[in-house]
């Protein structure tokens, strides 16, 4: 059963300006994401960071929690060997997802300086069990 669907759009230029600020990166990105971004350069780095940020906001919308729901680094968006994005949840976000038996689906896209993400939260167990 679908628990929630979220979508978000983010301008890469807005995120690019903040990537040079360690406090921003620590507030938004998990260490594994920061390592991912550190291995990228220029436009690709900004677009990837914007897509990750959009995915985090889409996750929070799908969860129905808003921006205060979970710490953003708890929602690490990484890439599989084939490039497919996936969430690696930690802390309260991981406990919340496990309690609900969630599978998290995410899709990203970026073009012309904009990045977008769609997140679907699929619940596999009835509430209360």
């Amino acid at each position: 059963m679908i628990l929630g669907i979220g979508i978000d759009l983010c301008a890469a230029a807005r995120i690019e300006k903040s990537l040079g600020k360690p406090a921003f990166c620590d507030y938004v990105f998990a260490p594994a994401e920061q390592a991912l971004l550190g291995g990228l350069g220029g436009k690709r780095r900004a677009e990837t960071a914007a897509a990750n940020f959009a995915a985090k906001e889409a996750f929070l919308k799908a969860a129905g929690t808003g921006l205060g729901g979970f710490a953003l680094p708890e929602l690490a968006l990484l890439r599989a060997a084939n490039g497919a994005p996936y969430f690696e949840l930690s802390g309260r976000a991981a406990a919340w997802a496990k309690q609900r038996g969630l599978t998290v689906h995410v899709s990203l896209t970026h073009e012309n300086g904009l990045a977008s993400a769609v997140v679907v939260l699929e619940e596999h167990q009835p509430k209360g069990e």
Side-chain angles (χ1 to χ4, degrees), residues 59 70 74-75 89-102 125:
F59 181 99
F70 305 107
E74 292 180 351
L75 311 173
L89 305 178
S90 63
R92 288 186 2 216
W96 180 82
K98 183 178 179 181
Q99 177 187 22
R100 286 162 179 75
L102 293 181
Q125 64 187 39

Side-chain angles (χ1 to χ4, degrees), residues 2-104:
I2 302 298
L3 175 69
I5 300 171
I7 186 170
D8 196 66
L9 181 68
C10 183
R14 181 172 68 96
I15 297 296
E16 185 174 29
K17 290 178 184 178
S18 299
L19 287 176
K21 301 174 187 172
F24 171 81
C25 291
D26 291 341
Y27 178 75
V28 175
F29 302 112
E33 287 176 294
Q34 291 184 39
L36 169 72
L37 295 172
L40 302 174
K43 181 180 174 184
R44 185 155 183 228
R45 180 174 187 244
E47 288 177 341
T48 300
N52 280 25
F53 188 85
K56 291 167 187 275
E57 291 214 1
F59 181 99
L60 295 171
K61 290 173 182 178
T65 63
L67 283 176
F70 305 107
L72 295 178
E74 292 180 351
L75 311 173
L77 192 72
L78 305 175
R79 306 300 186 278
N82 66 357
Y86 68 92
F87 276 101
E88 183 173 279
L89 305 178
S90 63
R92 288 186 2 216
W96 180 82
K98 183 178 179 181
Q99 177 187 22
R100 286 162 179 75
L102 293 181
T103 298
V104 181

